[in-house]
Structures are given as structure tokens and as C-alpha cells.
Amino acid sequence: MNKSTIISIASMSALLATAATMWSVSQIASLRTEKSELNQLKQTARQALDRATSTMHAASVSLLTLEQLNLPPCSDEHREAMQKLSFNATHFEAVSYIENGAVKCDSWGNISPQQTMPQTEMLSDDGLLISFNQPFPGAMTTWRSSHYMLQINPLRFTDLGVPADTQLSVYYNDEKIAEKTTKLSKSGATDDYAANLQAGHFAVAINKPRAAASAAVREQTILLLPWAAAMIALILLAIVASVRRRLSFIGELKHAVAEKRFVNHYQPIIDLRNGRCIGAEALVRWQRPDGSLVRPDLFIPCAEQHALIAAITDIVITTLISDLQEFLRSNRDFHIAINVAPEDLKSGRVLDVLATQLAAAEINANQIWIEATERGTLDIKHARATILRAQQAGHTVAIDDFGTGYSSLSYLQEIPLDVLKIDKSFIDTIGNDAATSEHAGVTPHIIHMAQSLRLKIVAEGVETARQVDYLRARGVEYAQGWWFSKALSVHEFLAYHARTDGHEASSSLDLPRPARPYSNRLTHV
Ligand code: C2E
Ligand code: MG
Ligand code: MG
């Protein structure tokens, strides 16, 4: 990624983060509004339900009291008693005395009023007959015992403070008995805020259109804006910090390439047939000004993206020649494997660099192996041409990390290789519980396939004696890994070789291993 791509990605991320934060704010504001609206509606519904239940309860008590009046029916005292009760009552409007299915007198003082009895009636739990919307003297609800009938104005059920823009309905046995509507801006929408409560025969439904709460949503949004601004500021700061880190990392890497601030470490490669160290892999490290070393997998991908990899390959070659020129001249069977990037294989330029430098240093081409990594994408056509040229020049060519990429098998078919390096992930499965690994059971097939293609095999990342025994038993020629040695600085490597060269082992446990623990100044490696 170049600078302008990084900046464009960062700007896009900043825009996306801002949009996502604002969207979250609007969602949170509507959710908070919905919660508070629903709470308010539920509270009102609960009050309406309590009001309806207590009205009916008070009516039942009043009827019981009336039934116990022991006065001559429709006498002056009787009508006066009914009048007094009705006057003091807060839950009904009037009471009528009934005899033989007809009204004889009422609390208004009428005797034999022409009042029709309710047609449709329901039976309450305490045996009272209830009727709604009776035409006298308005749309009244009646509540009747054996001799008395109360007239209740339905407004009593909804006589409570109801929030603006709502519609409140009270039901008795699913029949609507009262309704109260406060100015509705829009009604009946399916996404209205709504609350329904039920207790016994009563049910209350209340709803409010969402549109009526838009002011509340706006209010909530305004309340959340400082939080959103802080979030956006934090995200932007994080993006700016990451861009600066990234740009400064690239800048630092460019500077390091210009100043050639890299060192090679060398990891011994062992011939499993005799235990001898027959070669080593050159593994590059970036040396920071404070002396710390940075792992290659942290900067090689970045170097590949920023066209710095060819320069790094050149540095690795120059360094290995200056590190090991004498050693390689006096050990003509010994080889150093170098890792080349897809870009190096595409251009083939690395071969010219090698040819010039090796000739000047009097190192044979067959002392340098070339490892082509199988990770990432390889331009097969160009890679094939470079590899053929490398082999003609006398180099041995290995495919690195075999099995980890997408096209391992097609590379084998199309590219003439000499060595196959089995990736550590396959070696790890040896001696482990096979069922837990995604590579379980594949290793013997890779070995078999390489052997039938007459490729030499290097097993990577060998860490246990069991793996060594397994590989040797299957005829794998070479191995590399911490069981033998970690990657060593040039001095440690030369000391290691001096200590172990010529030593032949008869069992894996006798194979040469570093006599003292691996140590170097790596802080990042
Ligand atoms: P690679 O070429 O597959 O190198 C093997 C890596 O495995 C090395 O890591 C090595 O230190 C590590 N290793 C070896 N044996 C063991 C073991 O027994 N256990 C474990 N856990 N690890 C082991 P390193 O040095 O960090 O290199 C990582 C990768 O960076 C290399 O993988 C290679 O792909 C790349 N690389 C290193 N040097 C260069 C270079 O000069 N040029 C290019 N283009 N890539 C390089
Ligand atoms: Mg390698
Ligand atoms: Mg490898």
C-alpha cells in the first residue's frame, strides 16, 4: 500500500466511523424514546385499569348496601335514601328501584318512570347484571342487582390524566365500554407505540403514533450528541495515530533499507542420514537504532507492498557473502539457502545480482539455494523462467512453506523444482493427537508425493526427537528446526558449525544440538 492508498483508506474509515456513530446515536435515541413512551403508556393503562376495577367494586358495594335498605319501596324515605346515596357517590350517576322487571322509582325522585330495562346484559362474577351503552339518559352503563340498578357514566372509567396524542380504550369482556382520545396527529399506524393490560374481565388498550414522539427523539438525539462527538473524536484520533504509525513504519523501513540496517541470522539445516550440518537458511532481521531486532514476518510483507523487497534481497546477498565468504570457500559442500520474494522471481534480477557477487567472492552457484515461498501469489509464467535460469546457473531451487498456499500442487506440476520444504504446520502434527489438527494425516502423503517426484525434502520447524525419528524412518533427507538449533547470529553459527562439523550420529538423540542455550540480543525475534 502506498501513502495515498493508506490516506484514502483512513479517510474512508473516518467517514464510515462517523456515519456509523451517527446512525447508532439515532438508533439509541429512538430506543430510549420508545422505552420512555412505553413506560408512560403502561403507567396510564395501569391507572385506567385500576380506575375501572375500583369503579365496578364500588358499584357492587353500593348495590349491596341498597339491597339491605329496609324501607317501604318507593316511599318518601326510600327515595330520599336512594337520592342521598346517589348524591354522595363518586362512581355512579343515579339509582333505580326495580320490581317485577320494571323500574318503580329512582333517585331523581320519579315514581314509575318510563324506563326500559337493558336488553343485552352480562353476568358479573358476583352475580350482578351489567349492560353497556344504555340509551337513558345518555350512553350509560348499568349495574343491576335483584332490586336496584345503578347508572354509571362511562367517562368515569377514563376520567384520568392521559398523555397527549394517545387513544385509550377500556374493555369489559372484549366489549369496548369507554374511550378517551387526546389530540392524535396520526392514528391507527401499525408501528404505533402501544400498551395493553388486562385484569379479570377488564382490559385497557392505549396507543400513540410514533410520529407524535418525533420531538422526543430529537431531544434524545441532542442529549446524545456530546457522547457521539467524543466517540467520533476518539475514533479519528485512533485512525490518525494508526496512519502516522503506519506511515512512520514505512518511512523507518525505507530509511533502514537506504542505510542497510539489516543482519542475517543462519539456521542450520541437518542431513538426517548422518546428522551433519550441510547448510543453513539465511533469515533476515531488521536492526533498529536501539539494537533491537524486528522479525521478518513483521516487515517483509510491508517491504513487498512498498517495492522495497528487491533492495532487501540484495542486502541479504551482500551480507551473507561478507559474513560467510571464507567459510563457503573452505566448505564447498556447504550451502546457504536464501528466501526470495515473488517480485524477485518475477523480475529474475536476483540471478544477475547473485552471479556478479558470487563470481567476485569465488563462491560456487551450487552453494546458494533459492527458496521460493509458496505463500501469496506467484506469477507462474515468470517464476518458471527465473527458476529454470537459476537451475541452469547451478543453484538448487526449493519451494518453501509447502502446503500453506493455494496452489502447491500446480506449482509442482508447472515449475521444475529440486527441493520441497514441508511447512512447520505439517511437521507439528507428527506425534500429536491427529484428530485435533486440520493437517492431520497429510504429512505422509506430502513425503510420498515429493519422493515420487524425486524431490529432496527439508522438514521445517522440527522441535522433537519423535519428529526426527518419524522423518528419518520415512526417508526424509534434511531437517531444520529448534530441535537442532534456532537461527543464529553469524558468530554463533560459525561456532556451532565448528563444534558439530564431521560429527555423525546414529540416533536422533545423538544428533548435534547447540551445547549451550540459544542466546542473542533479539527483542522482537
Ligand atoms: P521461512 O522461510 O519459512 O523460515 C522459517 C521460519 O521458521 C523462520 O522464522 C525460523 O526462525 C522459524 N523456525 C525455524 N525452526 C523453527 C522451529 O522449530 N519452531 C518454530 N516455532 N519456528 C521455527 P523467521 O526467521 O521469523 O522468518 C519468518 C519468515 O520470514 C520466513 O519463513 C520467510 O518467509 C521470511 N523471511 C525471512 N528472511 C527472509 C529474507 O531474507 N527474504 C525474504 N523475502 N523473506 C524472508
Ligand atoms: Mg524459507
Ligand atoms: Mg518456510
Side-chain angles (χ1 to χ4, degrees):
M1 264 189 284
N2 59 30
K3 196 170 165 182
S4 64
T5 319
I6 292 174
I7 291 172
S8 324
I9 292 179
S11 316
M12 282 296 293
S13 315
L15 270 177
L16 278 175
T18 309
T21 311
M22 288 318 292
W23 181 82
S24 311
V25 162
S26 75
Q27 290 298 305
I28 296 171
S30 351
L31 283 174
R32 283 171 77 158
T33 308
E34 176 164 339
K35 196 173 168 204
S36 98
E37 291 292 337
L38 286 177
N39 275 343
Q40 200 185 17
L41 292 184
K42 270 186 201 150
Q43 203 179 336
T44 311
R46 165 72 46 214
Q47 283 168 0
L49 206 56
D50 289 349
R51 171 64 58 93
T53 319
S54 66
T55 301
M56 287 308 187
H57 179 71
S60 305
V61 172
S62 298
L63 285 170
L64 205 68
T65 314
L66 286 161
E67 287 292 347
Q68 282 165 3
L69 283 179
N70 203 5
L71 295 169
C74 295
S75 62
D76 287 349
E77 306 95 289
H78 182 223
R79 279 182 285 124
E80 207 175 304
M82 289 199 291
Q83 216 162 4
K84 202 169 158 198
L85 199 69
S86 153
F87 185 75
N88 291 328
T90 54
H91 51 278
F92 66 89
E93 326 309 319
V95 54
S96 310
Y97 175 74
I98 302 161
E99 208 175 81
N100 299 328
V103 175
K104 287 286 172 202
C105 56
D106 63 23
S107 55
W108 305 111
N110 301 318
I111 297 180
S112 300
Q114 292 305 302
Q115 207 173 291
T116 45
M117 295 298 289
Q119 295 295 309
T120 340
E121 293 184 311
M122 288 182 228
L123 195 62
S124 78
D125 288 341
D126 39 7
L128 303 173
L129 287 163
I130 312 164
S131 180
F132 302 103
N133 295 320
Q134 292 309 306
F136 54 89
M140 289 289 172
T141 296
T142 64
W143 210 249
R144 186 151 72 93
S145 60
S146 319
H147 297 100
Y148 293 92
M149 178 166 74
L150 298 182
Q151 288 167 24
I152 303 171
N153 188 336
L155 286 179
R156 290 191 182 274
F157 296 113
T158 55
D159 186 19
L160 57 134
V162 173
D165 287 304
T166 53
Q167 182 172 23
L168 170 75
S169 307
V170 182
Y171 298 84
Y172 187 89
N173 282 354
D174 292 338
E175 185 166 338
K176 192 190 271 189
I177 59 170
E179 187 179 84
K180 184 168 185 178
T181 303
T182 54
K183 184 173 61 105
L184 282 174
S185 34
K186 182 181 148 226
S187 64
T190 47
D191 66 343
D192 279 1
Y193 300 123
N196 298 302
L197 286 184
Q198 187 164 8
H201 294 276
F202 284 105
V204 170
I206 181 163
N207 68 313
K208 176 173 182 169
R210 256 164 211 274
S214 54
V217 176
R218 257 195 314 279
E219 214 170 277
Q220 287 287 349
T221 309
I222 290 166
L223 281 177
L224 287 166
L225 278 183
W227 174 85
M231 277 296 289
I232 292 170
L234 272 179
I235 294 170
L236 292 183
L237 275 177
I239 291 174
V240 168
S242 127
V243 167
R244 285 180 61 171
R245 236 191 346 265
R246 182 92 192 152
L247 289 180
S248 75
F249 184 81
I250 298 163
E252 248 193 278
L253 184 58
K254 278 187 181 155
H255 187 67
V257 170
E259 301 249 299
K260 300 190 170 39
R261 291 188 171 276
F262 295 89
V263 291
N264 286 352
H265 278 188
Y266 300 94
Q267 186 174 35
I269 298 173
I270 307 299
D271 187 332
L272 287 175
R273 292 163 296 193
N274 53 29
R276 294 184 66 164
C277 172
I278 48 91
E281 179 176 2
L283 295 159
V284 69
R285 276 92 178 89
W286 169 8
Q287 190 157 35
R288 279 257 165 85
D290 63 0
S292 62
L293 296 176
V294 184
R295 279 186 358 226
D297 42 354
L298 292 182
F299 66 85
I300 291 286
C302 185
E304 285 177 4
Q305 284 165 5
H306 291 87
L308 295 170
I309 194 66
I312 292 181
T313 305
D314 287 0
I315 295 171
V316 169
I317 294 169
T318 314
T319 309
L320 96 80
I321 287 173
S322 88
D323 280 351
L324 298 172
Q325 178 178 11
E326 278 179 30
F327 175 84
L328 289 172
R329 275 204 221 141
S330 42
N331 292 276
R332 289 292 177 190
D333 290 344
F334 201 90
H335 77 266
I336 298 292
I338 58 167
N339 291 282
V340 296
E343 181 51 40
D344 295 319
L345 285 178
K346 192 175 172 195
S347 70
R349 193 198 51 91
V350 64
L351 295 181
D352 305 324
V353 174
L354 272 174
T356 316
Q357 298 218 24
L358 293 180
E362 293 171 18
I363 296 169
N364 297 337
N366 65 8
Q367 289 187 277
I368 301 298
W369 288 17
I370 290 174
E371 292 190 10
T373 182
E374 203 260 326
R375 287 192 305 260
T377 47
L378 206 59
D379 174 342
I380 292 214
K381 195 173 141 227
H382 289 98
R384 190 172 195 280
T386 305
I387 286 169
L388 278 171
R389 260 184 69 205
Q391 287 169 327
Q392 279 155 12
H395 299 294
T396 294
V397 181
I399 183 159
D400 201 359
D401 308 321
F402 184 80
T404 57
Y406 296 111
S407 29
S408 316
L409 292 174
S410 68
Y411 288 165
L412 287 190
Q413 235 175 8
E414 297 182 41
I415 302 180
L417 296 159
D418 305 298
V419 173
L420 183 150
K421 292 191 83 169
I422 305 179
D423 189 68
K424 180 177 184 307
S425 52
F426 295 98
I427 304 303
D428 285 345
T429 64
I430 300 171
N432 280 349
D433 178 13
T436 60
S437 165
E438 58 174 313
H439 296 324
V442 179
T443 317
H445 297 291
I446 297 180
I447 295 173
H448 183 72
M449 186 183 59
Q451 285 166 343
S452 53
L453 290 169
R454 299 188 191 290
L455 298 177
K456 293 243 175 343
I457 303 171
V458 179
E460 287 188 287
V462 175
E463 290 181 344
T464 66
R466 199 162 167 189
Q467 291 168 342
V468 175
D469 290 341
Y470 177 97
L471 294 163
R472 195 179 307 126
R474 275 162 187 76
V476 170
E477 293 90 346
Y478 307 119
Q480 170 184 355
W482 294 355
W483 173 255
F484 307 106
S485 171
K486 288 194 173 183
L488 305 169
S489 70
V490 61
H491 304 294
E492 287 171 323
F493 169 72
L494 290 172
Y496 170 89
H497 188 267
R499 205 168 53 241
T500 60
D501 189 25
H503 178 88
E504 301 219 1
S506 54
S507 83
S508 63
L509 292 174
D510 299 333
L511 286 173
R513 295 171 62 199
R516 59 192 158 80
Y518 171 77
S519 74
N520 63 10
R521 289 161 57 232
L522 302 195
T523 50
H524 295 271
V525 180

